Short mmCIF file of all heavy atoms in Angstrom, two decimals:
data_model
loop_
_atom_site.label_atom_id
_atom_site.label_comp_id
_atom_site.label_asym_id
_atom_site.label_seq_id
_atom_site.Cartn_x
_atom_site.Cartn_y
_atom_site.Cartn_z
N THR A 201 -10.02 -7.15 -1.30
CA THR A 201 -9.30 -7.21 -2.57
C THR A 201 -9.11 -5.82 -3.15
O THR A 201 -8.03 -5.47 -3.61
CB THR A 201 -10.05 -8.11 -3.57
OG1 THR A 201 -10.15 -9.43 -3.02
CG2 THR A 201 -9.34 -8.18 -4.90
N ALA A 202 -10.14 -5.01 -3.11
CA ALA A 202 -10.05 -3.64 -3.63
C ALA A 202 -9.05 -2.82 -2.83
O ALA A 202 -8.27 -2.05 -3.39
CB ALA A 202 -11.42 -2.97 -3.61
N SER A 203 -9.03 -3.01 -1.52
CA SER A 203 -8.09 -2.29 -0.68
C SER A 203 -6.66 -2.70 -1.00
O SER A 203 -5.77 -1.85 -1.11
CB SER A 203 -8.40 -2.58 0.79
OG SER A 203 -7.43 -1.99 1.61
N ARG A 204 -6.42 -3.99 -1.17
CA ARG A 204 -5.07 -4.45 -1.52
C ARG A 204 -4.65 -3.95 -2.89
O ARG A 204 -3.50 -3.59 -3.10
CB ARG A 204 -5.01 -5.97 -1.48
CG ARG A 204 -4.96 -6.50 -0.07
CD ARG A 204 -4.69 -7.98 -0.06
NE ARG A 204 -4.67 -8.45 1.31
CZ ARG A 204 -5.01 -9.65 1.68
NH1 ARG A 204 -5.37 -10.53 0.78
NH2 ARG A 204 -4.96 -10.00 2.94
N ALA A 205 -5.58 -3.93 -3.84
CA ALA A 205 -5.26 -3.45 -5.18
C ALA A 205 -4.87 -1.98 -5.13
O ALA A 205 -3.91 -1.56 -5.78
CB ALA A 205 -6.44 -3.67 -6.12
N LEU A 206 -5.60 -1.20 -4.35
CA LEU A 206 -5.28 0.22 -4.22
C LEU A 206 -3.91 0.37 -3.57
O LEU A 206 -3.10 1.17 -4.00
CB LEU A 206 -6.35 0.93 -3.39
CG LEU A 206 -6.12 2.42 -3.15
CD1 LEU A 206 -6.05 3.16 -4.49
CD2 LEU A 206 -7.22 3.00 -2.29
N ASP A 207 -3.63 -0.42 -2.53
CA ASP A 207 -2.34 -0.35 -1.89
C ASP A 207 -1.22 -0.71 -2.87
O ASP A 207 -0.16 -0.09 -2.86
CB ASP A 207 -2.28 -1.29 -0.68
CG ASP A 207 -3.12 -0.78 0.48
OD1 ASP A 207 -3.49 0.40 0.49
OD2 ASP A 207 -3.40 -1.59 1.37
N ALA A 208 -1.45 -1.72 -3.71
CA ALA A 208 -0.45 -2.12 -4.70
C ALA A 208 -0.21 -0.98 -5.68
O ALA A 208 0.93 -0.70 -6.06
CB ALA A 208 -0.90 -3.39 -5.42
N GLU A 209 -1.28 -0.32 -6.08
CA GLU A 209 -1.16 0.80 -7.02
C GLU A 209 -0.37 1.94 -6.39
O GLU A 209 0.53 2.52 -7.02
CB GLU A 209 -2.57 1.27 -7.40
CG GLU A 209 -2.63 2.12 -8.62
CD GLU A 209 -4.08 2.40 -9.00
OE1 GLU A 209 -4.85 1.44 -9.21
OE2 GLU A 209 -4.42 3.59 -9.08
N THR A 210 -0.66 2.26 -5.15
CA THR A 210 0.04 3.31 -4.43
C THR A 210 1.51 2.96 -4.27
O THR A 210 2.40 3.79 -4.47
CB THR A 210 -0.61 3.55 -3.05
OG1 THR A 210 -1.98 3.90 -3.25
CG2 THR A 210 0.10 4.64 -2.28
N CYS A 211 1.77 1.70 -3.93
CA CYS A 211 3.14 1.23 -3.75
C CYS A 211 3.91 1.35 -5.06
O CYS A 211 5.03 1.88 -5.09
CB CYS A 211 3.13 -0.21 -3.26
SG CYS A 211 4.78 -0.92 -3.05
N THR A 212 3.33 0.88 -6.14
CA THR A 212 3.98 0.94 -7.44
C THR A 212 4.29 2.38 -7.83
O THR A 212 5.38 2.70 -8.31
CB THR A 212 3.11 0.26 -8.51
OG1 THR A 212 2.93 -1.10 -8.16
CG2 THR A 212 3.74 0.35 -9.89
N THR A 213 3.33 3.27 -7.61
CA THR A 213 3.53 4.69 -7.93
C THR A 213 4.71 5.27 -7.15
O THR A 213 5.56 5.97 -7.72
CB THR A 213 2.24 5.49 -7.64
OG1 THR A 213 1.19 4.96 -8.45
CG2 THR A 213 2.43 6.97 -7.90
N GLU A 214 4.78 4.94 -5.87
CA GLU A 214 5.88 5.47 -5.04
C GLU A 214 7.23 4.90 -5.48
O GLU A 214 8.21 5.63 -5.58
CB GLU A 214 5.63 5.16 -3.56
CG GLU A 214 6.66 5.81 -2.67
CD GLU A 214 6.36 5.70 -1.20
OE1 GLU A 214 5.17 5.70 -0.82
OE2 GLU A 214 7.32 5.62 -0.42
N LEU A 215 7.26 3.59 -5.75
CA LEU A 215 8.53 2.98 -6.18
C LEU A 215 8.96 3.50 -7.55
O LEU A 215 10.15 3.73 -7.78
CB LEU A 215 8.41 1.46 -6.20
CG LEU A 215 8.27 0.79 -4.83
CD1 LEU A 215 7.99 -0.69 -4.99
CD2 LEU A 215 9.52 1.03 -3.98
N ARG A 216 8.01 3.71 -8.44
CA ARG A 216 8.36 4.21 -9.78
C ARG A 216 8.84 5.67 -9.74
O ARG A 216 9.52 6.12 -10.64
CB ARG A 216 7.19 4.05 -10.73
CG ARG A 216 7.06 2.61 -11.21
CD ARG A 216 6.17 2.52 -12.43
NE ARG A 216 6.14 1.19 -12.98
CZ ARG A 216 7.02 0.73 -13.88
NH1 ARG A 216 7.98 1.48 -14.31
NH2 ARG A 216 6.90 -0.49 -14.35
N ALA A 217 8.51 6.38 -8.69
CA ALA A 217 9.04 7.73 -8.54
C ALA A 217 10.54 7.67 -8.28
O ALA A 217 11.29 8.57 -8.67
CB ALA A 217 8.33 8.46 -7.39
N GLU A 218 10.99 6.61 -7.64
CA GLU A 218 12.41 6.42 -7.36
C GLU A 218 13.10 5.64 -8.48
O GLU A 218 14.20 5.98 -8.91
CB GLU A 218 12.57 5.69 -6.04
CG GLU A 218 14.00 5.51 -5.59
CD GLU A 218 14.09 4.90 -4.21
OE1 GLU A 218 13.10 4.96 -3.45
OE2 GLU A 218 15.15 4.36 -3.90
N TRP A 219 12.47 4.56 -8.92
CA TRP A 219 13.00 3.71 -9.99
C TRP A 219 12.25 4.11 -11.27
O TRP A 219 11.23 3.55 -11.62
CB TRP A 219 12.78 2.24 -9.67
CG TRP A 219 13.46 1.79 -8.40
CD1 TRP A 219 14.64 2.25 -7.90
CD2 TRP A 219 13.02 0.77 -7.50
NE1 TRP A 219 14.95 1.59 -6.73
CE2 TRP A 219 13.97 0.67 -6.46
CE3 TRP A 219 11.91 -0.07 -7.47
CZ2 TRP A 219 13.85 -0.23 -5.42
CZ3 TRP A 219 11.79 -0.97 -6.42
CH2 TRP A 219 12.75 -1.05 -5.41
N LYS A 220 12.76 5.09 -11.96
CA LYS A 220 12.01 5.76 -13.02
C LYS A 220 11.81 4.95 -14.30
O LYS A 220 10.79 5.05 -14.93
CB LYS A 220 12.68 7.10 -13.33
CG LYS A 220 12.67 8.01 -12.11
CD LYS A 220 12.99 9.42 -12.44
CE LYS A 220 13.10 10.31 -11.24
NZ LYS A 220 12.06 10.32 -10.29
N THR A 221 12.80 4.15 -14.70
CA THR A 221 12.65 3.39 -15.93
C THR A 221 12.09 2.00 -15.61
O THR A 221 12.17 1.53 -14.47
CB THR A 221 13.99 3.22 -16.66
OG1 THR A 221 14.84 2.36 -15.89
CG2 THR A 221 14.66 4.57 -16.91
N ASP A 222 11.55 1.35 -16.63
CA ASP A 222 11.06 -0.02 -16.44
C ASP A 222 12.19 -0.93 -15.98
O ASP A 222 11.99 -1.79 -15.13
CB ASP A 222 10.45 -0.56 -17.73
CG ASP A 222 9.08 0.03 -18.04
OD1 ASP A 222 8.47 0.62 -17.12
OD2 ASP A 222 8.63 -0.09 -19.18
N GLY A 223 13.37 -0.73 -16.53
CA GLY A 223 14.52 -1.54 -16.15
C GLY A 223 14.89 -1.38 -14.68
O GLY A 223 15.16 -2.36 -13.99
N GLU A 224 14.92 -0.13 -14.22
CA GLU A 224 15.23 0.13 -12.81
C GLU A 224 14.16 -0.47 -11.90
O GLU A 224 14.48 -1.06 -10.86
CB GLU A 224 15.32 1.64 -12.54
CG GLU A 224 16.52 2.31 -13.14
CD GLU A 224 16.48 3.83 -12.99
OE1 GLU A 224 15.37 4.41 -12.98
OE2 GLU A 224 17.56 4.41 -12.92
#
Side-chain angles (χ1 to χ4, degrees):
T201 300
S203 175
R204 284 188 181 150
L206 179 59
D207 288 344
E209 197 174 303
T210 302
C211 178
T212 299
T213 299
E214 186 172 328
L215 291 173
R216 283 196 174 272
E218 184 174 340
W219 300 327
K220 299 195 184 308
T221 69
D222 286 344
E224 289 173 329

